[in-house]
Amino acid sequence: MNDANSPTVSKPLLRALRGEPLDTPPIWLMRQAGRYLPEYRALRKEAGSFLDLCMTPEMACEVTLQPIRRFGFDGAILFSDILVIPYALGQKLWFEEGAGPKLEALQGPEEIAVRLSRDSLHERLAPVYETLRRVRDSLPPETTLLGFAGAPWTVASYMIEGGSSKDFATAKKWMFGDPEGFGRLIDLLVDSTAAYLNAQIEAGAEAVQIFDSWAGSLPAVEQYRWSLEPIRQIVELVKAQHPETPVIVFPRGAGPVYVDFAQHSGGDALGIDTALPLDWARRSLKQGVTLQGNLDPIRVVAGGEGMRAAARRIVETMRGSPFVFNLGHGVVPQTPPEHVGELVETIRGMAQR
Ligand code: CP3
């Protein structure tokens, strides 16, 4: 299926993720679907709740395709959320307008076995798999379909804090105070997340990204144990089933530990956050790992020549190495859609210069 002549291999994003340097890097953006698009806001209103939007394949498929139609990105990322895993394990999840995600917080390790269960994981996530099948059928032939999941630490932090957090004090207190109990939650997440990603690939995802958005909130020692190690296990479980499917690892804020993510996570590509110098990453991270990133999302809010120059600098820095153009974190709601169009034109226009 993945031989050199198959149409799959000519997709630019897949080629770059498999280690090929391209003259014009493929481009997609984290959070490319969402509130900055008026067509998203219209459908979001119709859907009622955000979770209903994620779990209604017809609508989730439409939202996935909106940025592809507008900007012709090389990658279409499944429209869903990292928190559907706690939801599928049985934890109550809701999204409050302006307040972000809310969950009924886990009070301690003794609640893991009582409140969470893997039994209906795939049943509750079936709408997500159906969304992937629908998107795969409607994508332009050159566009790659990306699946995703949150990494265990980031997802666990929401499950323990009951939502977003500034300092992760409750989750860290549990981690430091009862590493064995905390480890049971992480193990459950490793197992469920790997099963979820494997099922996404079977439903049509051609590459997957693991988001550890809060890796940088951990001291280095804990980054190894609770971010890198669980991610390594997930990659191993995914590769055991789907050795050809590229995995992108995004340990946001990992600093120098990025070196170890490149060496030991088993990922094919690494998402580089806004803080890491890209030329350092190019020189210092394992050869052969594709890099992805790292334009500051606020550059796209500001737009103009500043944005274009920063984007060109990134492409020039990475010329000759396997690279995927992206942001260092997600598109923010206040981003003018026209700026995103100009960004895509800038990258694609560089080939002719
Ligand atoms: O990238 C995409 O376009 C695909 C969709 C996607 C969403 N969330 C949709 C979403 C992806 C890949 C995510 C990942 C996600 N979700 C992460 C990791 C990436 C990151 O940004 O760090 C995290 C930490 C979450 C958890 C989450 N979901 C938060 C903190 C919030 C509230 C903040 C916000 O932006 O509203 C959400 C809600 C959410 N997820 C929205 C969207 C479009 C907004 C909800 C709405 O429309 O009301």
Side-chain angles (χ1 to χ4, degrees), residues 28-35 40 44 50 53-54 63 67 77-83 95-101 148 150 154 158 164 211-214 250 252 329-331 333:
W28 69 279
L29 305 181
M30 293 186 276
R31 290 289 189 94
Q32 65 192 19
R35 284 166 297 182
Y40 171 85
R44 170 80 177 76
F50 175 73
L53 180 56
C54 291
V63 173
I77 183 161
L78 162 73
F79 189 81
S80 182
D81 197 82
I82 62 167
L83 299 176
F95 288 80
E96 276 173 18
E97 209 62 57
F148 74 92
T154 290
Y158 286 94
S164 303
F211 287 86
D212 214 351
S213 301
W214 304 117
F250 178 48
R252 191 168 76 92
H329 199 192
V331 176

Side-chain angles (χ1 to χ4, degrees), residues 2 19 21 24 27 50 81 117 132 147 153 162 174 220 226 243 288 335 339 347:
N2 290 306
T24 302
I27 174 170
F50 175 73
D81 197 82
S117 161
L132 285 161
W153 157 241
W174 185 354
W226 301 118
T335 305
H339 292 184
I347 306 300

Side-chain angles (χ1 to χ4, degrees), residues 15-16 36 82 92 94 99 137 163 208 218 223 278:
R15 287 168 59 193
Y36 77 108
I82 62 167
K92 199 172 161 209
W94 67 104
D137 285 343
V208 294
L218 297 175
Q223 283 184 34
L278 201 55

Side-chain angles (χ1 to χ4, degrees), residues 9 161 200 236 287:
V9 179
E161 300 281 346
Q200 288 187 33
E236 191 172 84
Q287 290 296 306

Side-chain angles (χ1 to χ4, degrees), residues 17-351:
L17 291 175
R18 295 207 168 109
E20 199 182 320
L22 303 180
D23 278 345
T24 302
I27 174 170
W28 69 279
L29 305 181
M30 293 186 276
R31 290 289 189 94
Q32 65 192 19
R35 284 166 297 182
Y36 77 108
L37 292 177
E39 59 270 35
Y40 171 85
R41 294 195 297 270
L43 204 73
R44 170 80 177 76
K45 226 189 236 158
E46 228 178 274
S49 87
F50 175 73
L51 197 57
D52 284 342
L53 180 56
C54 291
M55 292 299 174
T56 309
E58 191 188 353
M59 288 193 282
C61 173
E62 170 57 24
V63 173
T64 305
L65 294 171
Q66 284 173 348
I68 307 305
R69 281 193 208 110
R70 234 187 217 258
F71 306 115
F73 288 120
D74 293 284
I77 183 161
L78 162 73
F79 189 81
S80 182
D81 197 82
I82 62 167
L83 299 176
V84 298
I85 284 284
Y87 159 80
L89 291 171
Q91 197 172 8
K92 199 172 161 209
L93 166 70
W94 67 104
F95 288 80
E96 276 173 18
E97 209 62 57
K102 298 282 171 205
L103 299 102
E104 260 171 17
L106 286 179
Q107 301 299 323
E110 66 287 350
E111 289 196 353
I112 297 171
V114 186
R115 288 185 46 198
L116 304 176
S117 161
R118 257 215 59 175
D119 294 351
S120 18
L121 188 85
H122 290 309
E123 198 183 310
R124 297 193 91 170
L125 294 170
V128 177
Y129 309 144
E130 175 59 21
T131 301
L132 285 161
R133 283 189 286 271
R134 287 182 186 223
V135 176
R136 187 71 191 269
D137 285 343
S138 358
L139 275 184
E142 68 281 6
T143 313
T144 299
L145 178 54
L146 298 159
F148 74 92
W153 157 241
T154 290
V155 174
S157 79
Y158 286 94
M159 296 173 81
I160 298 169
E161 300 281 346
S164 303
S165 167
K166 280 198 169 61
D167 55 11
F168 305 93
T170 311
K172 284 179 163 183
K173 202 170 93 190
W174 185 354
M175 170 191 288
F176 291 137
D178 181 6
E180 189 275 327
F182 182 76
R184 275 188 278 132
L185 178 58
I186 295 295
D187 288 346
L188 174 65
L189 289 170
V190 166
D191 178 60
S192 327
T193 304
Y196 178 46
L197 289 173
N198 277 325
Q200 288 187 33
I201 294 166
E202 283 143 31
E206 298 167 284
V208 294
Q209 175 157 321
I210 302 171
F211 287 86
D212 214 351
S213 301
W214 304 117
S217 67
L218 297 175
V221 173
E222 279 71 28
Q223 283 184 34
Y224 290 108
R225 180 165 180 189
W226 301 118
S227 174
L228 174 53
E229 177 54 23
I231 288 174
R232 191 196 63 72
Q233 292 172 9
I234 292 170
V235 176
E236 191 172 84
L237 290 163
V238 170
K239 291 286 180 184
Q241 301 288 317
H242 302 286
E244 301 294 329
T245 304
V247 179
I248 310 164
V249 174
F250 178 48
R252 191 168 76 92
V257 184
Y258 261 102
V259 174
D260 301 279
F261 276 93
Q263 291 272 13
H264 304 299
S265 68
D268 303 87
L270 269 188
I272 306 296
D273 60 43
T274 54
L276 212 62
L278 201 55
D279 57 338
W280 176 86
R282 181 189 169 148
R283 279 182 277 115
S284 314
L285 304 182
K286 191 179 90 177
Q287 290 296 306
V289 172
T290 298
L291 302 187
Q292 170 180 284
N294 73 339
L295 186 71
D296 192 316
I298 308 306
R299 276 281 186 207
V300 195
V301 177
E305 187 43 35
M307 171 187 78
R308 289 191 290 269
R312 283 193 208 104
R313 208 176 315 126
I314 287 173
V315 174
E316 291 306 343
T317 300
M318 289 307 299
R319 204 174 276 295
S321 296
F323 181 61
V324 174
F325 194 93
N326 206 315
L327 307 180
H329 199 192
V331 176
V332 296
Q334 68 268 36
T335 305
E338 317 79 74
H339 292 184
V340 174
E342 285 168 30
L343 177 65
V344 175
E345 270 172 37
T346 302
I347 306 300
R348 300 235 164 105
M350 285 181 74

